[in-house]
Amino acid sequence: MRITCPLCGPRDRREFYYYGSEDYLTRPEGEDWDAIDAHLHLRNNPAGRVRDLWYHDMGCTSWLVVTRDTVTHEVFGAALVADGGVSISAKMKSKGGAA
Amino acid sequence: MADLIAKTPLWGQGAVVSGGVTLAEVDLGQVTSVAPFVGQEKTLAAALKPLVFPAPNMVSAKGAARLVWTGRGQAFLIGAVPDGLDGLAALTDQSDGWAGVSLTGAGAVDVLARLIPLDLRDMAVGACARTSLGHMAVVLIRVKDGFELLVFRSMARTAWHELEVAMKMRAARLAC
Protein backbone atom coordinates (compact mmCIF):
# COMPACT_ATOMS: atom_id res chain seq x y z
CA MET A 1 0.00 0.00 0.00
CA ARG A 2 1.26 3.44 -0.91
CA ILE A 3 0.16 6.86 0.25
CA THR A 4 0.97 9.95 -1.79
CA CYS A 5 2.10 12.55 0.73
CA PRO A 6 1.21 16.04 -0.57
CA LEU A 7 4.77 17.14 0.23
CA CYS A 8 6.98 14.09 -0.24
CA GLY A 9 5.20 12.29 -3.07
CA PRO A 10 4.30 8.59 -3.24
CA ARG A 11 5.70 6.74 -0.25
CA ASP A 12 5.52 3.26 1.18
CA ARG A 13 2.99 2.60 3.91
CA ARG A 14 5.78 1.79 6.38
CA GLU A 15 6.69 5.49 6.55
CA PHE A 16 3.28 6.35 8.02
CA TYR A 17 1.63 5.86 11.36
CA TYR A 18 -2.12 5.31 11.52
CA TYR A 19 -3.94 7.43 14.07
CA GLY A 20 -7.64 6.84 13.50
CA SER A 21 -10.78 8.37 12.09
CA GLU A 22 -10.77 12.01 11.03
CA ASP A 23 -13.45 12.43 13.74
CA TYR A 24 -10.53 13.33 16.01
CA LEU A 25 -10.39 16.68 14.19
CA THR A 26 -13.93 17.62 15.20
CA ARG A 27 -13.72 18.11 18.94
CA PRO A 28 -17.07 18.96 20.57
CA GLU A 29 -17.34 22.35 22.22
CA GLY A 30 -18.39 22.96 25.83
CA GLU A 31 -19.22 20.36 28.42
CA ASP A 32 -21.54 18.09 26.50
CA TRP A 33 -20.15 14.93 28.08
CA ASP A 34 -22.17 12.58 25.89
CA ALA A 35 -20.72 14.26 22.81
CA ILE A 36 -17.21 14.11 24.27
CA ASP A 37 -17.69 10.44 25.13
CA ALA A 38 -18.83 9.77 21.57
CA HIS A 39 -15.95 11.82 20.18
CA LEU A 40 -13.44 9.77 22.13
CA HIS A 41 -14.87 6.29 21.91
CA LEU A 42 -17.64 5.77 19.37
CA ARG A 43 -16.61 4.97 15.82
CA ASN A 44 -18.36 3.53 12.83
CA ASN A 45 -16.60 0.65 11.16
CA PRO A 46 -17.68 1.00 7.55
CA ALA A 47 -16.87 -1.41 4.74
CA GLY A 48 -15.92 1.06 2.06
CA ARG A 49 -14.65 4.58 1.87
CA VAL A 50 -13.18 6.09 5.05
CA ARG A 51 -11.26 9.22 5.91
CA ASP A 52 -8.52 8.68 8.47
CA LEU A 53 -5.68 10.55 10.12
CA TRP A 54 -2.19 9.36 9.27
CA TYR A 55 1.13 10.72 10.50
CA HIS A 56 4.10 10.76 8.14
CA ASP A 57 6.52 9.97 10.95
CA MET A 58 9.35 8.59 8.80
CA GLY A 59 9.02 11.48 6.36
CA CYS A 60 8.06 15.11 6.63
CA THR A 61 6.21 14.61 9.96
CA SER A 62 2.98 16.05 8.57
CA TRP A 63 -0.49 15.03 9.67
CA LEU A 64 -2.57 13.83 6.73
CA VAL A 65 -6.21 13.02 6.10
CA VAL A 66 -6.15 9.97 3.86
CA THR A 67 -9.22 8.81 1.95
CA ARG A 68 -9.17 5.09 1.24
CA ASP A 69 -11.39 2.09 0.77
CA THR A 70 -11.32 -0.61 3.44
CA VAL A 71 -12.71 -3.21 1.01
CA THR A 72 -10.48 -2.69 -2.04
CA HIS A 73 -7.56 -1.04 -0.16
CA GLU A 74 -7.54 1.64 -2.83
CA VAL A 75 -6.11 4.97 -1.64
CA PHE A 76 -7.96 7.90 -3.23
CA GLY A 77 -5.83 10.72 -1.92
CA ALA A 78 -4.20 12.50 0.99
CA ALA A 79 -4.41 16.11 2.15
CA LEU A 80 -2.46 18.05 4.76
CA VAL A 81 -4.46 18.66 7.92
CA ALA A 82 -2.60 21.98 8.19
CA ASP A 83 -3.77 23.12 4.77
CA GLY A 84 -6.82 24.91 6.17
CA GLY A 85 -9.37 22.82 4.29
CA VAL A 86 -9.61 20.61 7.31
CA SER A 87 -8.56 22.99 10.04
CA ILE A 88 -9.48 21.92 13.53
CA SER A 89 -11.20 25.14 14.58
CA ALA A 90 -13.28 25.42 11.41
CA LYS A 91 -14.67 21.94 11.89
CA MET A 92 -15.21 22.25 15.63
CA LYS A 93 -18.85 21.52 16.22
CA SER A 94 -21.00 19.79 18.75
CA LYS A 95 -22.38 16.43 17.83
CA GLY A 96 -25.38 15.40 19.86
CA GLY A 97 -24.51 11.99 21.28
CA ALA A 98 -23.55 9.05 19.15
CA ALA A 99 -23.74 9.58 15.43
CA MET B 1 40.96 23.97 32.63
CA ALA B 2 40.83 20.72 30.72
CA ASP B 3 41.15 21.06 26.96
CA LEU B 4 38.20 19.07 25.65
CA ILE B 5 38.59 17.36 22.30
CA ALA B 6 35.48 17.34 20.14
CA LYS B 7 34.76 13.94 18.67
CA THR B 8 32.77 13.37 15.51
CA PRO B 9 29.64 11.22 15.91
CA LEU B 10 31.53 8.22 14.47
CA TRP B 11 34.72 8.97 16.45
CA GLY B 12 36.96 9.31 13.42
CA GLN B 13 35.77 6.11 11.79
CA GLY B 14 37.78 5.37 8.64
CA ALA B 15 36.16 4.89 5.27
CA VAL B 16 35.04 1.44 4.14
CA VAL B 17 35.21 0.34 0.49
CA SER B 18 33.27 -2.67 -0.77
CA GLY B 19 32.08 -3.58 -4.25
CA GLY B 20 33.19 -0.23 -5.62
CA VAL B 21 31.11 1.68 -3.10
CA THR B 22 32.71 3.89 -0.46
CA LEU B 23 31.15 4.59 2.92
CA ALA B 24 32.71 7.53 4.76
CA GLU B 25 31.90 9.86 7.59
CA VAL B 26 31.01 13.43 6.64
CA ASP B 27 31.78 16.32 8.95
CA LEU B 28 28.63 18.39 8.62
CA GLY B 29 30.03 21.40 10.47
CA GLN B 30 27.36 23.73 11.78
CA VAL B 31 23.78 22.54 11.24
CA THR B 32 20.90 24.92 11.95
CA SER B 33 17.21 24.23 11.64
CA VAL B 34 15.54 27.19 9.88
CA ALA B 35 11.76 27.45 10.24
CA PRO B 36 10.44 30.70 8.69
CA PHE B 37 8.05 32.79 10.76
CA VAL B 38 4.67 33.49 9.18
CA GLY B 39 4.75 36.74 7.22
CA GLN B 40 8.56 36.92 7.11
CA GLU B 41 9.02 34.93 3.93
CA LYS B 42 10.05 37.87 1.72
CA THR B 43 12.51 39.37 4.21
CA LEU B 44 13.91 35.91 4.85
CA ALA B 45 14.33 35.27 1.12
CA ALA B 46 16.43 38.44 0.86
CA ALA B 47 18.51 37.51 3.92
CA LEU B 48 19.16 33.99 2.65
CA LYS B 49 20.63 35.09 -0.68
CA PRO B 50 22.34 33.58 -2.59
CA LEU B 51 20.47 30.57 -1.15
CA VAL B 52 16.73 30.18 -1.54
CA PHE B 53 14.37 28.49 0.87
CA PRO B 54 14.02 25.09 -0.81
CA ALA B 55 10.85 23.57 -2.22
CA PRO B 56 9.87 20.18 -0.75
CA ASN B 57 12.47 17.48 -1.47
CA MET B 58 15.01 20.00 -2.79
CA VAL B 59 18.37 21.41 -1.76
CA SER B 60 19.57 24.96 -2.37
CA ALA B 61 23.36 25.15 -2.50
CA LYS B 62 26.04 27.77 -3.01
CA GLY B 63 29.63 26.73 -2.41
CA ALA B 64 29.85 24.89 0.91
CA ALA B 65 26.55 26.31 2.17
CA ARG B 66 23.45 24.19 1.72
CA LEU B 67 19.84 24.63 2.69
CA VAL B 68 18.16 21.21 2.77
CA TRP B 69 14.37 20.80 2.96
CA THR B 70 13.52 18.70 6.02
CA GLY B 71 9.79 19.15 6.49
CA ARG B 72 6.82 21.47 6.15
CA GLY B 73 8.20 24.96 6.74
CA GLN B 74 11.60 23.71 7.83
CA ALA B 75 15.05 23.39 6.28
CA PHE B 76 18.52 22.60 7.62
CA LEU B 77 21.27 25.12 6.95
CA ILE B 78 24.45 23.06 6.63
CA GLY B 79 27.97 24.37 6.28
CA ALA B 80 27.16 28.00 7.01
CA VAL B 81 26.48 30.29 9.95
CA PRO B 82 22.89 31.59 10.12
CA ASP B 83 23.83 35.26 10.14
CA GLY B 84 21.12 37.87 9.75
CA LEU B 85 18.21 35.46 10.18
CA ASP B 86 17.24 36.47 13.74
CA GLY B 87 13.57 37.41 13.90
CA LEU B 88 12.86 35.99 10.46
CA ALA B 89 12.86 32.30 11.29
CA ALA B 90 13.01 30.01 14.28
CA LEU B 91 16.66 28.97 14.45
CA THR B 92 17.77 25.87 16.32
CA ASP B 93 21.34 24.66 16.50
CA GLN B 94 21.31 20.99 15.45
CA SER B 95 25.07 20.60 15.02
CA ASP B 96 25.57 17.99 17.73
CA GLY B 97 22.32 16.16 16.99
CA TRP B 98 23.10 14.68 13.61
CA ALA B 99 25.67 12.38 12.09
CA GLY B 100 26.57 12.55 8.42
CA VAL B 101 27.84 9.75 6.18
CA SER B 102 28.40 9.59 2.46
CA LEU B 103 27.88 6.62 0.19
CA THR B 104 29.60 7.10 -3.13
CA GLY B 105 30.32 5.04 -6.21
CA ALA B 106 28.27 3.59 -9.06
CA GLY B 107 26.67 0.92 -6.87
CA ALA B 108 25.55 3.27 -4.08
CA VAL B 109 21.98 3.24 -5.36
CA ASP B 110 21.92 -0.58 -5.22
CA VAL B 111 23.15 -0.56 -1.62
CA LEU B 112 20.46 1.90 -0.58
CA ALA B 113 17.81 -0.12 -2.42
CA ARG B 114 18.31 -2.73 0.32
CA LEU B 115 17.51 -0.27 3.09
CA ILE B 116 15.39 2.60 1.78
CA PRO B 117 11.80 2.19 0.49
CA LEU B 118 12.25 4.65 -2.39
CA ASP B 119 13.25 4.25 -6.02
CA LEU B 120 16.44 6.31 -6.02
CA ARG B 121 17.58 5.49 -9.56
CA ASP B 122 16.18 8.69 -11.04
CA MET B 123 16.87 10.96 -8.07
CA ALA B 124 18.57 14.09 -9.41
CA VAL B 125 21.56 15.85 -7.88
CA GLY B 126 20.17 18.61 -5.67
CA ALA B 127 17.18 16.55 -4.53
CA CYS B 128 16.68 15.27 -1.01
CA ALA B 129 14.17 13.12 0.84
CA ARG B 130 13.15 12.44 4.38
CA THR B 131 12.60 8.74 4.59
CA SER B 132 13.67 5.68 6.54
CA LEU B 133 16.94 3.73 6.55
CA GLY B 134 15.79 0.41 7.90
CA HIS B 135 13.92 1.57 10.99
CA MET B 136 15.84 4.83 11.34
CA ALA B 137 14.67 8.24 10.22
CA VAL B 138 17.08 9.67 7.66
CA VAL B 139 17.60 12.82 5.62
CA LEU B 140 18.86 11.61 2.26
CA ILE B 141 20.66 14.02 -0.07
CA ARG B 142 21.63 13.18 -3.64
CA VAL B 143 25.12 14.51 -4.38
CA LYS B 144 27.27 14.41 -7.48
CA ASP B 145 28.78 10.95 -7.11
CA GLY B 146 26.40 9.34 -4.68
CA PHE B 147 24.42 10.14 -1.56
CA GLU B 148 24.79 11.81 1.79
CA LEU B 149 22.75 10.54 4.70
CA LEU B 150 21.97 12.41 7.90
CA VAL B 151 20.85 10.31 10.85
CA PHE B 152 20.28 11.10 14.51
CA ARG B 153 23.64 11.15 16.26
CA SER B 154 22.52 8.44 18.67
CA MET B 155 21.96 6.19 15.64
CA ALA B 156 25.33 6.88 13.99
CA ARG B 157 26.94 3.50 14.65
CA THR B 158 23.73 1.59 13.89
CA ALA B 159 23.38 3.38 10.55
CA TRP B 160 27.03 2.71 9.78
CA HIS B 161 26.60 -0.98 10.61
CA GLU B 162 23.44 -1.32 8.50
CA LEU B 163 25.11 0.35 5.51
CA GLU B 164 28.32 -1.64 5.85
CA VAL B 165 26.42 -4.94 6.00
CA ALA B 166 24.31 -3.97 2.97
CA MET B 167 27.48 -3.01 1.05
CA LYS B 168 29.20 -6.31 1.85
CA MET B 169 26.11 -8.40 1.03
CA ARG B 170 25.83 -6.65 -2.33
CA ALA B 171 29.55 -7.16 -3.01
CA ALA B 172 29.21 -10.85 -2.15
CA ARG B 173 26.26 -11.17 -4.50
CA LEU B 174 28.27 -9.51 -7.27
CA ALA B 175 31.11 -11.99 -6.71
CA CYS B 176 28.83 -15.03 -7.08
Side-chain angles (χ1 to χ4, degrees):
Chain A
M1 179 171 142
R2 279 185 204 164
I3 294 172
T4 300
C5 171
L7 295 174
C8 301
R11 294 299 181 92
D12 192 88
R13 179 257 174 273
R14 85 189 77 165
E15 290 192 9
F16 299 87
Y17 182 80
Y18 175 78
Y19 190 75
S21 165
E22 68 160 343
D23 290 356
Y24 284 112
L25 294 175
T26 55
R27 190 172 60 197
E29 288 173 325
E31 295 191 11
D32 181 348
W33 299 113
D34 285 341
I36 291 169
D37 179 64
H39 166 71
L40 289 174
H41 303 299
L42 298 185
R43 292 290 175 270
N44 293 323
N45 185 22
R49 198 179 274 240
V50 292
R51 283 166 57 83
D52 295 323
L53 285 176
W54 290 75
Y55 182 58
H56 196 184
D57 63 339
M58 282 300 210
C60 61
T61 65
S62 288
W63 282 99
L64 309 176
V65 176
V66 176
T67 311
R68 69 188 174 96
D69 194 303
T70 55
V71 177
T72 64
H73 303 300
E74 184 179 357
V75 176
F76 300 105
L80 292 174
V81 170
D83 249 359
V86 267
S87 78
I88 294 172
S89 54
K91 294 197 69 177
M92 226 184 241
K93 61 190 178 196
S94 184
K95 283 183 182 175
Chain B
M1 187 172 162
D3 187 14
L4 300 177
I5 301 167
K7 284 179 172 162
T8 61
L10 284 153
W11 288 30
Q13 167 80 52
V16 171
V17 182
S18 181
V21 179
T22 304
L23 176 65
E25 180 169 13
V26 174
D27 185 2
L28 296 170
Q30 189 162 349
V31 180
T32 310
S33 163
V34 179
F37 290 136
V38 174
Q40 296 291 343
E41 291 84 357
K42 280 189 178 167
T43 326
L44 179 68
L48 282 174
K49 280 180 181 174
L51 297 176
V52 296
F53 195 83
N57 309 308
M58 298 304 290
V59 178
S60 169
K62 181 73 179 179
R66 289 186 290 176
L67 201 51
V68 180
W69 186 85
T70 52
R72 193 172 63 85
Q74 180 190 282
F76 278 5
L77 180 65
I78 300 174
V81 180
D83 280 335
L85 302 184
D86 287 344
L88 306 178
L91 305 171
T92 319
D93 186 5
Q94 301 276 338
S95 306
D96 293 332
W98 292 78
V101 298
S102 68
L103 197 68
T104 51
V109 71
D110 298 325
V111 173
L112 291 182
R114 291 168 177 253
L115 294 167
I116 290 182
L118 279 179
D119 185 350
L120 302 175
R121 289 172 296 183
D122 295 329
M123 192 176 186
V125 174
C128 67
R130 277 195 69 175
T131 180
S132 60
L133 177 81
H135 289 278
M136 283 166 280
V138 67
V139 178
L140 180 72
I141 306 167
R142 179 79 166 93
V143 294
K144 190 161 168 276
D145 45 1
F147 297 87
E148 278 182 23
L149 299 98
L150 276 59
V151 295
F152 300 141
R153 187 185 179 116
S154 61
M155 299 282 171
R157 292 219 62 83
T158 310
W160 185 277
H161 173 78
E162 292 271 349
L163 287 163
E164 189 175 354
V165 167
M167 283 167 65
K168 290 187 170 164
M169 293 295 275
R170 172 183 165 271
R173 177 59 67 93
L174 286 178
C176 285

